[in-house]
Amino acid sequence: MTASAEDPEARKPRRRMNYGEGREALLNAAVRVVARGGLRKLTYRAVAQEAGTTHGLVVHHFGSRDALIEEALAHAIRTSLSTSALEPGTGKVADFSVGVSDMVTADPDIQAFQYELLLEARRRPELLPQIRALYDDYFDATERELARMLPDGAGRPLTRLVFAALDGLVLHQLVFGEPGTTDAAIEELRGLLRLLAADGDEVPENDGHALPENDG
């Protein structure tokens, strides 16, 4: 339906934004557009309409659609990292990934955006370097926190296994809901990490050689 003179929305003036506010608002708008309609719906006009600003401001801030995609993906990763407790920095298993289900509930669009971009990268290989580099931030954060928790540290295979579990849980909650199921599964994951941490602290078993007696 075309906007008419009687439509109050059509007469609403676009509000002006300062530089910092405008950029953040446009990135969030781009995330919402892609999350709800896929990458094919991402246009300057769609982002401007979602943000409640002008088409020209989108062009001014980003210059190209590819730049908008890249910066929106980086923004999504930063936001997820800061809200997921993926790297609390405490080295305590109990703190690992606290709040993941709340993160998905609070902002499902930013999670859906990332999965849309992952799938789009299968069709557009030029997106792969951006996706790979930015997802490496997730792997690096996970690996650093695992190294704090586990006496023997964590290699990349274990890191990817742990993160894949979390990533799958986020996707399932995004589709099916059930945040309680996410929380229960992450607690099971913490239980496995506790076993790994305890195993790393154990004294090696006797390999067949007599141990020296303690005379003291």
Side-chain angles (χ1 to χ4, degrees), residues 80-146:
S80 292
L81 281 171
S82 67
T83 58
S84 67
L86 193 60
E87 189 183 7
T90 65
K92 296 178 180 179
V93 174
D95 295 336
F96 183 65
S97 293
V98 168
V100 166
S101 64
D102 292 338
M103 174 192 70
V104 180
T105 299
D107 196 353
D109 284 347
I110 208 159
Q111 306 305 321
F113 170 82
Q114 293 173 69
Y115 293 119
E116 286 286 345
L117 265 290
L118 284 170
L119 291 174
E120 187 65 25
R122 296 184 70 247
R123 297 181 286 268
R124 295 180 53 186
E126 67 271 18
L127 291 175
L128 275 175
Q130 300 167 16
I131 296 289
R132 188 180 298 276
L134 291 168
Y135 251 68
D136 277 344
D137 289 344
Y138 278 140
F139 299 144
D140 290 344
T142 304
E143 187 168 0
R144 286 191 299 268
E145 194 60 27
L146 290 175

Side-chain angles (χ1 to χ4, degrees), residues 2-11:
T2 58
S4 66
E6 288 75 26
D7 183 358
E9 293 296 321
R11 299 196 303 271

Side-chain angles (χ1 to χ4, degrees), residues 54-77:
T54 64
H55 167 273
L57 189 63
V58 186
V59 178
H60 169 73
H61 277 295
F62 303 103
S64 73
R65 186 171 179 271
D66 286 343
L68 176 59
I69 292 170
E70 183 174 350
E71 293 200 40
L73 182 55
H75 170 70
I77 298 287

